[in-house]
Amino acid sequence: MSGPVRYASVDSPVGPLLLTADGEDGRLTSLSVPGQKNGRTVQEGWLHTPDLFRAAGEQLAAYFGGELKEFELELRSEGSEFRERVWGALGSVPYGETTTYGAIAARIGASRAAVRAVGGAIGANPLLIVRPCHRVIGADGSLTGYAGGLERKTVLLSLEGVL
């Protein structure tokens, strides 16, 4: 990381989205919503740099407008090797489809016993929406936890035509 955290806020149908990047390269490090479990909030010393997030804002607007199905953004996250594998698997879940925690575990070669750890990694995803953890549901088809709240998960899955 270099320099202060840079941020911008983007309006969306699920509330204001807080976008952050560490350094000047513009790689997105988080996308948070108000009240999100472990979400980020603007801190003293952060730099408001909306121009840095123009492409992200445009892609998010296109996504919410039903015109974009796959984000093409530079992302950077920091997690354990296990979490990075889980987060990588999230990125392969196609728009308009859902998967389960068990399927994510299998996709990364984790044991069936690792499903709880997979759930923890998914819950710690710092890049909501662009890394689509909202597409992960319970094995019984239930809408299980979502760090941004189940009402937002419902909106996102409805937008994608799943619900």
Side-chain angles (χ1 to χ4, degrees):
M1 291 185 220
S2 60
V5 172
R6 296 162 193 290
Y7 77 95
S9 185
V10 174
D11 289 330
S12 84
V14 294
L17 307 176
L18 175 63
L19 310 176
T20 66
D22 294 331
E24 297 178 20
D25 64 7
R27 289 193 290 172
L28 205 57
T29 55
S30 74
L31 189 159
S32 302
V33 296
Q36 173 185 332
K37 181 182 173 191
N38 300 318
R40 295 184 94 175
T41 56
V42 176
Q43 304 294 310
E44 188 174 327
W46 285 16
L47 297 178
H48 184 243
T49 53
D51 288 350
L52 187 64
F53 300 94
R54 183 163 284 125
E58 290 169 357
Q59 288 185 42
L60 285 160
Y63 168 79
F64 285 112
E67 303 159 8
L68 181 81
K69 293 185 175 10
E70 192 170 321
F71 292 97
E72 293 182 20
L73 298 169
E74 292 287 327
L75 307 176
R76 177 176 47 224
S77 56
E78 295 181 7
S80 67
E81 187 267 335
F82 179 80
R83 282 187 172 180
E84 292 290 341
R85 286 185 12 234
V86 170
W87 296 340
L90 287 176
S92 68
V93 181
Y95 178 98
E97 294 184 22
T98 58
T99 190
T100 64
Y101 296 93
I104 293 287
R107 188 173 292 172
I108 66 166
S111 71
R112 188 79 187 129
V115 169
R116 189 174 295 265
V118 166
I122 291 170
N125 172 22
L127 289 155
L128 296 189
I129 303 168
V130 297
R131 188 185 286 143
C133 54
H134 60 276
R135 296 179 187 151
V136 181
I137 62 173
D140 63 0
S142 63
L143 295 187
T144 55
Y146 182 61
L150 287 180
E151 60 286 341
R152 287 189 180 104
K153 184 172 190 161
T154 300
V155 169
L156 296 169
L157 291 175
S158 295
L159 172 78
E160 295 186 13
V162 175
L163 298 180

